């Protein structure tokens, strides 16, 4: 005869046998056991013995295999089709843009075969994105500190050895198409998300010491980025690092103090440099510097205002002395396809942002949520910055327009999307483990 717990165990085993998300088995067992216990107690209150009450309670739950199949549908892998769709459209637009640049009569671009090269980058990026979609993102959390230390040492070594520079910016371990400088914010963001959401089990150190260690880890890359003159990466990293620090620890006073200090130091840097002052002022008063830094802003405004609703057509050129396939690609797209094309691009960016915000609300696992916030914000900020260039009022820098502009940077951007899709894939497959700020 089956013992008192036998009916319950057999029932739970049969239910879990149908659920492929093994990480959810413990939660499913706990929840169903709770329901069974309530039924058993109600039955026993009516005077029935324990064994009979348990058998009756199990029978009330229905067929375990049917229940298991229902739970399997609830906890099956998910695809964020909206996010995937807009990213694939971005990839297609990137190749169309490169075809247009190749077809233009611009002497600087002629013979570069940008379409063929960009096709390679896009294909590699899509392959990486697909692979990361199936990777369990939680494994990255165990690599957070090693990844952080490797990146930090790479930056220090590059600073000491004086690696190659482009436009005054130090290139961290630039090997072929893999330029770690543009990858640094993404990789540091992954490392910090893992560090700040990791378990806090101090043994030889106090909680306060651990907080200081995390705070220093957030701030340490900032002087290295400043020393390398990687100011776009410095600004983006500083902003996002402090945001993720507040999100994960709740220590907004520490972050506010660091943010104000960085803002003061940045203002002093601009105040003491005529070059930086001119670059900042020329974005808002281009006529005052029409023969120097302001000239480019005037050309951008003239190009956009003359584009009209339908643009100059596929393969047209621009009177802008700057590579149209990289920094100026959003302006070039408006020049070719008009204000209508610009609005379409804006709509895609807003849709991309909306899908990320929705995913952020649906993800419950702390590390996954932190990754969505960090990587998603990184991409959205760069997309919005690229669109703001079209206004002719935004300070120009070398920040590439994600997914569209030419270069190997698209590989890390597609990789980031692969991680985001992988996190969304497992949103119903892993148990909820809420973690709040550690006071």
């Amino acid at each position: 005869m089956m013992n008192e717990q036998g009916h319950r165990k057999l029932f739970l085993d049969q239910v879990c046998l149908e659920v492929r998300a093994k990480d959810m088995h413990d939660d499913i067992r706990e929840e169903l056991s709770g329901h069974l216990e309530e039924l058993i107690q109600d039955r026993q209150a009516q005077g029935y013995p324990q064994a009979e009450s348990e058998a009756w309670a199990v029978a009330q739950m229905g067929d375990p295999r049917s229940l298991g199949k229902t739970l399997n549908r609830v906890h099956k892998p998910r695809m964020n089709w909206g996010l995937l769709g807009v990213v694939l459209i971005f990839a297609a637009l990137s190749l169309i843009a490169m075809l247009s640049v190749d077809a233009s009569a611009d002497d600087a671009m002629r013979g570069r075969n940008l379409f063929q090269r960009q096709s390679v980058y896009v294909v590699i990026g899509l392959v990486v994105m697909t692979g990361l979609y199936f990777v369990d993102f939680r494994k990255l959390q165990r690599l957070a500190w090693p990844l952080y230390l490797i990146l930090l040492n790479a930056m220090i070594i590059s600073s000491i050895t004086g690696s190659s520079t482009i436009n005054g910016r130090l290139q961290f371990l630039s090997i072929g198409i893999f330029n770690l400088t543009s990858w640094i914010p993404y990789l540091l963001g992954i490392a910090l998300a893992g560090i700040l959401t990791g378990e806090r089990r101090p043994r030889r150190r106090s909680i306060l010491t651990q907080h200081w260690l995390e705070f220093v880890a957030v701030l340490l890359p900032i002087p290295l980025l400043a020393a390398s003159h990687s100011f776009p990466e410095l600004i983006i990293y500083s902003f996002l690092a402090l945001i993720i620090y507040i999100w994960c620890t709740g220590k907004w006073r520490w972050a506010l103090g660091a943010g104000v200090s960085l803002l003061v130091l940045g203002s002093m840097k601009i105040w003491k440099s005529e070059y930086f002052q001119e670059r900042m002022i020329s974005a808002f008063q281009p006529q005052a510097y029409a023969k120097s830094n302001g000239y480019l802003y005037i050309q951008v405004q003239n190009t956009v205002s003359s584009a009209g609703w339908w643009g100059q057509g596929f393969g047209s050129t621009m009177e802008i002395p700057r590579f149209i396939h990289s920094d100026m690609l959003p302006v070039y797209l408006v020049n070719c396809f008009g204000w209508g094309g610009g609005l379409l691009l804006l709509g895609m960016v807003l849709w991309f942002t909306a899908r990320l915000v929705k995913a952020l609300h649906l993800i419950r696992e702390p590390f996954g949520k932190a990754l969505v916030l960090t990587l998603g914000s990184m991409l959205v900020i760069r997309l919005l910055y690229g669109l703001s260039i079209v206004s002719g009022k935004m300070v120009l820098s070398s920040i590439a327009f994600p997914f569209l502009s030419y270069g190997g940077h698209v590989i890390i951007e597609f990789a980031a999307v692969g991680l985001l899709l992988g996190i969304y894939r497992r949103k119903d497959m892993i148990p909820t483990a809420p973690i709040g700020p550690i006071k």
Side-chain angles (χ1 to χ4, degrees):
M1 180 177 293
M2 191 170 293
N3 59 34
E4 294 183 353
Q5 299 293 325
H7 290 290
R8 186 186 312 188
K9 183 178 184 303
L10 179 61
F11 174 81
L12 296 176
D13 288 344
Q14 290 176 337
V15 170
C16 290
L17 190 64
E18 302 296 328
V19 180
R20 295 183 180 180
K22 294 183 179 180
D23 289 336
M24 294 301 302
H25 285 186
D26 289 342
D27 278 16
I28 290 173
R29 286 178 179 273
E30 182 178 353
E31 183 178 354
L32 294 180
S33 293
H35 292 311
L36 285 169
E37 191 62 36
E38 291 177 2
L39 291 172
I40 292 171
Q41 290 178 4
D42 290 343
R43 191 68 170 174
Q44 283 184 305
Q46 299 175 18
Y48 291 92
Q50 170 74 24
E52 185 177 340
S53 298
E54 178 145 354
W56 176 85
V58 169
Q60 299 305 304
M61 297 292 288
D63 179 42
R65 296 192 180 279
S66 297
L67 179 58
K69 291 178 181 178
T70 300
L71 291 173
N72 184 60
R73 288 194 294 270
V74 172
H75 298 292
K76 69 179 182 180
R78 306 290 179 181
M79 169 58 79
N80 193 331
W81 292 106
L83 183 62
L84 176 62
V86 73
V87 169
L88 292 178
I89 295 174
F90 275 138
L93 285 179
S94 174
L95 298 181
I96 293 173
M98 294 306 111
L99 275 175
S100 181
V101 173
D102 283 340
S104 70
D106 192 325
D107 292 336
M109 297 292 102
R110 188 172 297 153
R112 288 201 168 198
N113 295 322
L114 297 180
F115 172 77
Q116 295 180 8
R117 297 180 181 181
Q118 188 72 351
S119 297
V120 174
Y121 297 148
V122 169
V123 169
I124 294 175
L126 291 175
V127 170
V128 173
M129 181 183 75
T130 304
L132 288 176
Y133 169 71
F134 293 101
V135 171
D136 189 345
F137 68 93
R138 292 172 294 174
K139 296 179 180 179
L140 293 176
Q141 192 165 29
R142 296 193 292 269
L143 302 175
W145 273 111
L147 175 61
Y148 176 84
L149 294 175
I150 289 173
L151 293 172
L152 206 63
N153 280 300
M155 297 168 69
I156 293 173
I157 292 172
S158 297
S159 299
I160 294 175
T161 58
S163 299
S164 61
T165 60
I166 297 178
N167 296 326
R169 298 169 61 203
L170 188 64
Q171 304 300 297
F172 299 115
L173 300 181
S174 180
I175 304 174
I177 65 174
F178 300 101
N179 178 9
L180 193 58
T181 303
S182 60
W183 295 37
I184 280 286
Y186 296 96
L187 298 176
L188 282 174
I190 293 172
L192 288 181
I195 291 171
L196 297 175
T197 58
E199 293 185 14
R200 291 174 171 84
R201 294 179 179 176
R203 297 175 182 175
R204 298 181 179 179
R205 66 171 77 100
S206 65
I207 289 291
L208 182 61
T209 302
Q210 186 158 345
H211 277 310
W212 273 110
L213 179 63
E214 293 170 348
F215 189 62
V216 170
V218 169
L219 297 181
L220 202 53
I222 293 177
L224 293 173
L225 289 171
S228 69
H229 301 286
S230 302
F231 296 117
E233 286 78 14
L234 169 64
I235 294 172
I236 293 175
Y237 170 79
S238 300
F239 176 76
L240 289 180
L242 295 178
I243 291 298
I244 193 66
Y245 180 77
I246 295 173
W247 179 280
C248 294
T249 69
K251 292 194 170 295
W252 62 270
R253 292 183 180 86
W254 293 26
L256 180 62
V260 170
S261 300
L262 292 173
L263 186 60
V264 170
L265 291 173
S267 300
M268 291 175 60
K269 176 71 173 179
I270 294 173
W271 181 263
K272 292 181 179 181
S273 172
E274 293 185 4
Y275 171 75
F276 284 117
Q277 286 186 38
E278 182 174 328
R279 287 198 61 182
M280 295 291 292
I281 297 174
S282 61
F284 304 99
Q285 299 179 1
Q287 299 297 338
Y289 300 93
K291 295 184 178 180
S292 55
N293 282 327
Y295 175 76
L296 191 56
Y297 296 97
I298 295 173
Q299 290 299 320
V300 169
Q301 294 173 14
N302 292 338
T303 298
V304 173
S305 62
S306 63
W309 279 106
W310 307 113
Q312 307 301 323
F314 182 87
S316 61
T317 59
M318 294 193 307
E319 296 297 327
I320 293 182
R322 193 166 176 138
F323 288 143
I324 59 179
H325 64 298
S326 53
D327 301 355
M328 289 289 106
L329 186 64
V331 180
Y332 178 71
L333 291 175
V334 173
N335 177 71
C336 291
F337 306 108
W339 304 334
L343 289 175
L344 177 61
L345 188 58
L346 173 62
M348 292 174 58
V349 171
L350 294 178
W351 177 253
F352 179 85
T353 304
R355 297 302 301 182
L356 286 177
V357 171
K358 184 177 181 180
L360 184 64
H361 287 290
L362 293 175
I363 303 300
R364 297 169 296 175
E365 200 278 334
F367 178 52
K369 203 174 187 71
L371 281 179
V372 173
L373 176 66
T374 304
L375 297 178
S377 298
M378 195 89 65
L379 293 169
V380 169
I381 288 175
R382 290 171 178 263
L383 286 167
L384 293 177
Y385 172 79
L387 289 178
S388 68
I389 291 177
V390 177
S391 68
K393 296 292 185 181
M394 175 57 70
V395 178
L396 296 174
S397 72
S398 56
I399 298 178
F401 193 70
F403 307 113
L404 266 69
S405 64
Y406 173 81
H409 62 87
V410 299
I411 297 176
I412 187 64
E413 289 152 6
F414 283 118
V417 171
L419 272 179
L420 295 174
L421 291 174
I423 295 168
Y424 191 88
R425 177 178 187 264
R426 289 174 172 78
K427 73 181 183 68
D428 297 323
M429 297 173 62
I430 54 181
T432 304
I435 181 171
I438 306 301
K439 305 297 183 183

